[in-house]
Structure formats: C-alpha cells, structure tokens
Amino acid sequence: MSKNAKILLNGLVNENPTFVLLLGMCPTLATTTSAINGLSMGVATTFVLICSNIVISLLRNLIPDKVHIPAYIVVIASFVTVVQLCVSAYMPALNDSLGLFIPLIVVNCIVLGRAESFAAKNGPVASMMDGIGIGLGFTYALTLLGMIRELLGTGKVFDVTIFSEDYGMLVFVLAPGAFIALAYLIAVVNKIRNK
Amino acid sequence: MERLQSNLKNMALSLTLIALIAAGILGVVYALTKEPIAIAEQNKQNEAINLVLPENDRIEQIKAEVEINGQNDSLKVYRAFKGDQLVGYAVETMDPKGFNGEIRFMVGFDAEGNIKDYSILKQGETPGLGAKMNDWFKAGKKGQIAGLNPGKNNMIVKKDKNDKGQGEVDGITAATISSRAFLRAVDAAYRAAFSSSDNAIAADAATGATKTDGACDEAGEKTPAADCCAEAGQDAQTTAEEA
C-alpha cells in the first residue's frame, strides 16, 4: 500500500478522530441530532481541514515554533470565515442547514490538532491526504451517530420515516442520548479493532 | 529549508505577515460577497412575505414599536394593498426567549386580524422537539393557528391560563417553552400590526371603519389598543395615507 493511501486509511479507522482519538467531542455531541446535521457538520469540517492542512504544511518552515498556535488559529479562522461568507452568499439553501455549524469549526480541536501533529511535520500532499482521511472519518462517524440518534429518537433516518414517531425515545435526540449512543458506537468500534 | 528560529524579529514578522495576508483575503472576500449575501437575505424575506400574505399588488413597509417581554422593540410590519384596499399584514416578529435563544419568523394576517400563515426565519430550538415549530402551527397540523385571530381567540397554549381563561392552541408536545415563545411572538406581531394607533386606523380604513368587535374590546387595558378606539372616529383614510 502506498504511503498516501495509508495516511488516508489511518484517519478512517486507526486514528478515527471521533471513535479512537475522541477529538472534537463538542460538535460531535451537539450537532448529531439528525443524520443530515451530522453529515453537514462533517462535510464542512472536512473542507476546512483539507485547506488548513495544505496551507499550514506549506507555511510550516516560515512559522517560528513559539508562535505556531496563534499563526495556525489565524489561518484556520480565515478559512472558516471565507467558507461562511461564500456559503451564505452563493448557496443560501445550504446555508440554512449548515450555517449554524460553520463558525463552530474554528474551535474544533480536530482541525488544530491535525495542523499541530501532522501538517506541521509533513509535506503538502501527505497533509492533504491526512485532511481527507481524518475529515472523512469524522464525517462518517458523525453521520452514523446522527442516523442512530434520529432513528431511535424520532423514527426517521434522513427525514424518511422508518417507524412512527410515537414510538421514538425522545432521550436520544437530547444530550444524554448523544452520550449513550456514542458510548455504544465506541464499544463496537473497539471490539472490531481488537480482533 | 530550516524552520525559522524563534527570535523576536522572526516571530513578530511572521505573525504580522500572516495576519496581514489573512486580513487582506477576508477583506476582499467580504467585499465580494456583501452584495450577494444581502440579495440572498432579501430573497428569503420576500419569499416569506409572499407566503404569508394574501394576493396583493403593492407592499409598503413601516416600523412599529411594540413591547416584547417587557422591553420595547420595533418590528417590521409589511402592509399589503390590492388597489387601494388594505388586504393584509406581514410582520417580522421575534421572541428572545425560545428554548435556545431567539426565534424569528414572518407571520401574516388578513385585514381583520385572522392569521393566514407563518414562515420561520430563524430558530435554534431542539430538533425533534421545539424545532417542530417549522410546521406544527401551520394549517392542517395539530397546533393550527391559521384562521385564529389574536384579538378574539386566546392565543396561549391549552395548559396555560390567563385572565381570558384557558388557552386555545395545542402547544408542541414536550416543547412548551418553545410553544409559548412562538405564541408570544405571534401576539407581539398582532399588536404591532393592529394596536399602535395609526396602524389600527389603517385597519379600520380597510374594514370600513367599523369597530364592533375584536382588537380594541378584548386586547385589554395594558396595550395601546385603548388608544385606537378613541381615535377610530377620526378621518381614517387620511391618517392611513400619512402613515
């Protein structure tokens, strides 16, 4: 397996940010009330992650060590703001479903974490692959969690009714359900990884 | 290439450069997107207005001061005319105390004050609970408010009581706080459209200046509605035009 493919897979399974690294718990728990919300948050984060990884990897030798965190934050925040402005200007429909989550990405520790632990030490291509891998890992984890919570809570998945809402367990839409569902998902992932 | 050393000159230089470039890019993007964003917002608002208003060929916008949760706020009221006839109001209304902060929506009334429809502009209520307000109160749904008139009907949730008695609206199941906020905002919209004195006269002009029922009698003494009764005898048409 080539080096880049390995980096990509790494983010999906072995270093999955949600199930293994347990990074970015705040957006994970808060935005996965429905499958589409989880997916939107994942996609938005992936985009910012890829861009910031590439740019930080290019700039890595121009930024002195002692000021790297403020420098990374400025880069990430700029990307997020650009994305937010463009989405609200040119894709108002997307903005309605996603707009809430975009500013949250700035404080998502996955983005800063990958900048710090990967992009600052590797070249732009490898950093891009890392961004894609970690981003997709985050996206599928959030989508999965969102689907489970939406199904158990309201009887729907992606707004398609599976069973009547009257049988839904409301707790899964609320915060405690997020913890419960996430814990079971992590247990399952651990079981699979330990085989 | 070696990484730059962390001396004062390098640190100041690299941070300043990065911040300047970032600021430059943001400035350009902001300037480029400012107009499309304004247009997109306007479109959204226009869609909401058209959804909640009856057929019309002219809309004029006024601002109305109204008390919301003990604070005075001004709401945008859109008055729709067909020919010279006032056919309805759309009010962009809000309540700051939803379950997760402010809710904001457009609600439409016909000239008599009957609710026609509403359209949510902004809300952050809990998905699966309060977020159901997106269509819960629409015509044909459980908590239908279309057709009700805040001047005649008691627009609070069924489990609440006020001096007019038991409420008449089915609140969202398990989301009473959201429902209350929504209904407060509807009430504020109604007061904005009908109770402030010159608006009420405009409404009279549209309905033929008859004042036999509705807003003034039942709105209570605390609202400015009392004024509108006193002034109803004035030359309604001219005041409406001045407004």
Side-chain angles (χ1 to χ4, degrees):
Chain A
M1 211 169 1
S2 80
K3 188 177 152 252
N4 283 339
K6 236 180 214 161
I7 296 172
L8 191 94
L9 267 180
N10 184 40
L12 288 176
V13 188
N14 279 335
E15 276 187 32
N16 185 291
T18 307
F19 295 142
V20 182
L21 301 181
L22 296 188
L23 283 176
M25 284 295 107
C26 176
T28 304
L29 295 170
T31 64
T32 52
T33 48
S34 69
I36 190 71
N37 281 355
L39 182 67
S40 308
M41 181 69 194
V43 170
T45 309
T46 305
F47 181 78
V48 173
L49 191 58
I50 295 170
C51 295
S52 74
N53 260 9
I54 295 174
V55 170
I56 285 170
S57 159
L58 288 171
L59 291 176
R60 69 186 189 280
N61 287 331
L62 295 174
I63 300 172
D65 275 338
K66 278 188 183 166
V67 291
H68 67 282
I69 293 208
Y72 295 169
I73 295 268
V74 172
V75 171
I76 295 166
S78 309
F79 269 116
V80 172
T81 314
V82 167
V83 170
Q84 189 182 13
L85 288 172
C86 289
V87 167
S88 57
Y90 301 110
M91 290 169 272
L94 186 66
N95 189 39
D96 282 345
S97 57
L98 237 161
L100 209 67
F101 306 128
I102 295 177
L104 276 179
I105 301 170
V106 182
V107 292
N108 190 331
C109 55
I110 295 174
V111 183
L112 190 62
R114 292 325 284 179
E116 182 86 9
S117 67
F118 197 94
K121 296 170 191 148
N122 293 281
V125 177
S127 298
M128 186 182 79
M129 296 312 282
D130 180 69
I132 297 173
I134 294 279
L136 288 182
F138 188 60
T139 307
Y140 91 72
L142 255 61
T143 312
L144 200 62
L145 189 56
M147 282 168 69
I148 292 172
R149 290 182 63 192
E150 193 182 1
L151 178 69
L152 294 178
T154 65
K156 296 177 194 167
V157 171
F158 284 108
D159 259 342
V160 179
T161 307
I162 309 287
F163 58 82
S164 163
E165 200 170 313
D166 299 338
Y167 300 106
M169 287 173 278
L170 209 50
V171 69
F172 277 98
V173 181
L174 303 173
F179 284 99
I180 297 169
L182 180 64
Y184 276 102
L185 269 178
I186 291 175
V188 170
V189 170
N190 275 343
K191 178 83 182 160
I192 295 170
R193 282 180 65 236
N194 286 341
K195 264 186 187 162
Chain B
M1 193 169 92
E2 269 299 290
R3 184 162 300 192
L4 285 180
Q5 279 187 336
S6 294
N7 55 34
L8 187 65
K9 194 188 101 203
N10 281 349
M11 289 195 290
L13 211 63
S14 76
L15 261 191
T16 313
L17 265 180
I18 289 177
L20 275 180
I21 293 170
I25 293 173
L26 284 184
V28 171
V29 174
Y30 176 75
L32 284 179
T33 54
K34 198 175 173 188
E35 210 168 314
I37 289 178
I39 293 172
E41 299 234 312
Q42 194 59 49
N43 282 344
K44 195 176 166 188
Q45 199 149 54
N46 288 345
E47 268 171 39
I49 293 174
N50 287 331
L51 181 74
V52 301
L53 276 181
E55 204 181 314
N56 63 75
D57 42 37
R58 187 163 62 87
I59 293 175
E60 71 181 38
Q61 185 193 334
I62 55 169
K63 279 205 186 289
E65 290 283 330
V66 70
E67 188 189 308
I68 301 173
N69 267 334
Q71 288 185 328
N72 278 324
D73 212 329
S74 83
L75 297 179
K76 281 186 203 148
V77 178
Y78 301 87
R79 298 197 290 194
F81 295 88
K82 191 162 179 68
D84 283 336
Q85 185 82 12
L86 184 75
V87 290
Y89 302 87
V91 186
E92 188 185 333
T93 185
M94 54 83 71
D95 191 280
K97 289 187 181 160
F99 196 72
N100 285 330
E102 183 184 293
I103 56 174
R104 186 171 278 280
F105 56 93
M106 190 74 73
V107 56
F109 301 95
D110 66 14
E112 284 87 35
N114 299 316
I115 295 168
K116 190 171 172 294
D117 203 349
Y118 72 93
S119 168
I120 301 280
L121 297 173
K122 181 187 156 203
Q123 55 99 346
E125 303 304 292
T126 321
L129 294 170
K132 284 187 195 154
M133 72 168 59
N134 282 335
D135 57 6
W136 181 273
F137 298 102
K138 298 229 164 186
K141 303 281 178 174
K142 278 187 200 159
Q144 178 176 345
I145 58 166
L148 295 180
N149 185 330
K152 299 173 194 159
N153 298 95
N154 196 6
M155 298 282 295
I156 54 175
V157 293
K158 274 187 177 160
K159 70 161 134 178
D160 283 355
K161 247 186 191 169
N162 62 6
D163 48 358
K164 286 193 270 174
Q166 213 73 30
E168 292 180 31
V169 182
D170 260 326
I172 304 168
T173 318
T176 308
I177 292 177
S178 306
S179 309
R180 282 184 188 139
F182 180 88
L183 292 173
R184 271 201 304 272
V186 170
D187 182 59
Y190 180 80
R191 281 185 281 130
F194 291 93
S195 299
S196 64
S197 50
D198 40 329
N199 292 346
I201 290 161
D204 291 345
T207 55
T210 47
K211 206 73 200 165
T212 50
D213 63 344
C216 288
D217 303 331
E218 294 185 31
E221 291 169 12
K222 284 174 198 159
T223 63
D227 301 343
C228 74
C229 296
E231 291 173 22
Q234 289 179 5
D235 187 354
Q237 197 64 47
T238 46
T239 325
E241 276 160 16
E242 282 165 16

